[in-house]
Amino acid sequence: MRTSTICQLSIIVAVAAELSPARALTQDELVAKIQAAGYSQVSDVKSTIEGITAKAAKNGKPVTLVVDSNGQIKERN
């Protein structure tokens, strides 16, 4: 289980590197960025082909988010 978590975090950091050419975002920094955009209860952060996905809540409603390679946070429909 621990190895899987470490592997997932490594992928997240690698993909997050595309969000900022200067340096990679840590998972905590990515969660902070999502929270700063008005979302709460950020969880299930994963790297996918379309970017980094996460589950969160906004105005008490659950949403799925995608953070693309430009750092844009979008709600997935």
Side-chain angles (χ1 to χ4, degrees), residues 15-66:
V15 171
E18 295 180 23
L19 299 177
S20 172
R23 68 176 185 84
L25 294 175
T26 66
Q27 184 171 359
D28 288 341
E29 290 170 328
L30 183 61
V31 169
K33 178 180 178 77
I34 292 169
Q35 290 172 331
Y39 298 93
S40 62
Q41 301 174 16
V42 181
S43 65
D44 201 23
V45 179
K46 295 180 185 174
S47 175
T48 68
I49 198 120
E50 60 188 318
I52 299 172
T53 63
K55 303 236 185 261
K58 187 159 190 174
N59 300 322
K61 296 180 181 178
V63 294
T64 299
L65 304 172
V66 177

